[in-house]
Amino acid sequence: MNKKVAFCTLGCKVNHYETEAMAELFQKQGYTVADFGSPADVYVINTCTVTNMSDRKSRQMIRRARKQNPDAFIAVAGCYAQTAPDQVQAIEGVNLVIGTNQRKHIVELVERTPKTAHVSAVKNIMDAHEFEQLDINGYSGQTRAYIKIQEGCNQFCAYCIIPYARGPIRSRPMEDVLAETEKLVGNGFTEVVYVGIHVASYGLDKGTPLLCALLDRANRIDGLRRIRLSSIEPMTLDQAFIDQIKHCGKLCHHFHLSLQSGCDETLRRMNRHYTTAAYKAIVDGLRENYPDVAVTTDIMVGFPGETEAEFQQTLDFVEQMQFADAHIFQYSPRKGTPAAKMEQLPPQVKEARSKAVLACTGRSHQKFMASFIGKTAEVLFEQPHGDGLFEGKTGNYLTVRAPGTGLSGVYKTVLLEKIEDGAICGTIRE
């Protein structure tokens, strides 16, 4: 009888890519992939450690797996496993801890590790200097495919644990990226998202930035209609970069540029390598070259030492920037980072500031959506939404719903008519 393996993925799109790759490795060895909520012989929890809540959620999922089948083999991968292998190994029921650089060997490690063992295969990630090749052929139930092009980060922002979890930057060979892109297009995907821990650094470990060159070559792949970039460092997108990518007609006009703070003094303490003026210049350049562009961002509130005046500067800057959308985070101290040793702010202050920024970005999100009412846009439909509606995304990542059935993976031109329940509702024109 075939063995069953089930996966739980926490955190970013890179983790989701890596889970898909691990699932395919198990399938090649005869395993059947089961839903995480059902009985399985092997459970793999791909963890996140970006916040304390991520750690807690990772532990909960490990314990949930053991509860579902006390006799199952439990393997734990990902960032929390990498940064706290002893903690993870100590959780009852965990058989194998592999961190962030042993994924390609996971089936072999699982099969040679006794169920009675508690093994850590975690290695010092700072010693990793080559990209770990993990390939995928597709994503079940999705219309867009994620392709990992880069690993690691050398930024060492004061609050961030990720460089310690992912190690130094390592770039995937361009020919491998393009080959996987072509393979996924051949398997029916017309939209790809290039993801990484620090996408903007692609190629820098080899001595030269290669992101523009990759986009240029991907843009020529027949059958590919959309290329997206995951979160990218803002200072990458200077005018020289924009000039190089303007001819890439398949590149989606959606850029996620992490701001973190709208106060220069706070940015300095965060060890972010730009000013608000430089950030604004980048956004202005994007909006000048792409009139329909969606600029989205991440904003952290309650960073150690953030005064009321500094927070007000952030709030004023966020209001000025009018982001299409934003993720708001309350600062969470991560052991081992410089910020964890700084003077912390009370939880109630973080909560109040989070609500204030959420209100501000909520208004700008509504305003951005409203600016497209009465216009038409090409939508790649993804999934049914209920009540006879189908939901999809525009190139600039607006969520659109329209009446229809069986539209998954289909492009349609839609007249955008009204805002309803956080999305734009419209009528298919063609």
Side-chain angles (χ1 to χ4, degrees), residues 18-30:
E18 291 161 353
T19 292
E20 188 68 36
M22 287 189 288
E24 290 192 12
L25 289 173
F26 275 98
Q27 287 173 314
K28 288 176 183 176
Q29 297 301 316

Side-chain angles (χ1 to χ4, degrees), residues 11-60:
C12 65
K13 298 301 183 186
V14 174
N15 263 13
H16 284 267
Y17 175 92
E18 291 161 353
T19 292
E20 188 68 36
M22 287 189 288
E24 290 192 12
L25 289 173
F26 275 98
Q27 287 173 314
K28 288 176 183 176
Q29 297 301 316
Y31 285 75
T32 299
V33 176
D35 183 81
F36 188 76
S38 64
D41 301 288
V42 178
Y43 290 94
V44 179
I45 298 88
N46 199 2
T47 61
C48 175
T49 192
V50 72
T51 65
N52 287 328
M53 184 64 72
S54 304
D55 290 355
R56 190 176 306 122
K57 184 71 171 177
S58 296
R59 291 191 294 268
Q60 288 173 351

Side-chain angles (χ1 to χ4, degrees), residues 37-302:
S38 64
D41 301 288
V42 178
Y43 290 94
V44 179
I45 298 88
N46 199 2
T47 61
C48 175
T49 192
V50 72
T51 65
N52 287 328
M53 184 64 72
S54 304
D55 290 355
R56 190 176 306 122
K57 184 71 171 177
S58 296
R59 291 191 294 268
Q60 288 173 351
M61 292 300 101
I62 294 167
R63 293 185 177 110
R64 179 180 163 188
R66 183 176 180 275
K67 186 175 181 181
Q68 287 172 173
N69 182 2
D71 296 324
F73 188 101
I74 297 178
V76 185
C79 292
Y80 179 45
Q82 181 68 46
T83 57
D86 293 342
Q87 288 182 26
V88 173
Q89 198 174 358
I91 298 173
E92 189 176 0
V94 171
N95 302 106
L96 175 66
V97 187
I98 64 171
T100 59
N101 203 37
Q102 293 288 306
R103 282 76 50 92
K104 66 181 180 182
H105 301 302
I106 186 168
V107 180
E108 175 191 349
L109 288 167
V110 165
E111 293 189 339
R112 78 182 190 199
T113 302
K115 280 189 179 181
T116 55
H118 304 277
V119 174
S120 173
V122 175
K123 297 181 179 180
N124 186 349
I125 199 63
M126 295 303 173
D127 293 335
H129 299 292
E130 295 297 327
F131 183 88
E132 182 184 34
Q133 190 73 24
L134 292 167
D135 300 309
I136 62 168
N137 290 290
Y139 288 84
S140 57
Q142 292 187 206
T143 56
R144 69 173 58 88
Y146 295 91
I147 300 175
K148 183 179 172 183
I149 68 170
Q150 177 276 336
E151 176 68 277
C153 180
N154 294 351
Q155 295 294 99
F156 290 96
C157 297
Y159 53 81
C160 188
I161 195 68
I162 298 306
Y164 307 93
R166 291 283 180 167
I169 59 172
R170 289 99 73 198
S171 299
R172 186 176 183 179
M174 189 182 300
E175 297 305 324
D176 289 350
V177 176
L178 294 168
E180 185 162 288
T181 304
E182 290 177 341
K183 178 172 62 177
L184 288 164
V185 170
N187 289 343
F189 291 91
T190 58
E191 179 179 319
V192 300
V193 187
Y194 288 139
V195 302
I197 301 302
H198 189 245
V199 167
S201 69
Y202 180 66
L204 292 183
D205 54 316
K206 306 301 182 185
T208 183
L210 293 173
L211 186 56
C212 287
L214 173 62
L215 295 174
D216 177 64
R217 291 188 59 185
N219 192 67
R220 304 177 201 172
I221 295 176
D222 291 338
L224 180 62
R225 293 182 61 165
R226 287 182 179 177
I227 306 167
R228 293 190 188 276
L229 293 174
S230 64
S231 178
I232 191 167
E233 281 297 300
M235 297 315 295
T236 304
L237 290 168
D238 57 16
Q239 192 57 50
F241 186 95
I242 294 171
D243 288 342
Q244 289 183 74
I245 64 172
K246 275 194 297 189
H247 71 281
C248 293
K250 297 176 182 179
L251 182 63
C252 291
H253 298 175
H254 170 221
F255 299 93
H256 189 84
L257 310 179
S258 185
L259 171 64
Q260 300 302 357
S261 174
C263 169
D264 288 345
E265 175 55 28
T266 307
L267 288 172
R268 184 192 64 78
R269 289 200 309 277
M270 288 179 167
N271 197 34
R272 300 287 288 173
H273 305 290
Y274 52 84
T275 64
T276 52
Y279 185 99
K280 181 178 183 299
I282 295 295
V283 174
D284 289 347
L286 286 171
R287 287 172 173 165
E288 182 178 338
N289 285 276
Y290 303 110
D292 65 338
V293 71
V295 178
T296 58
T297 196
D298 301 311
I299 301 164
M300 179 184 293
V301 299

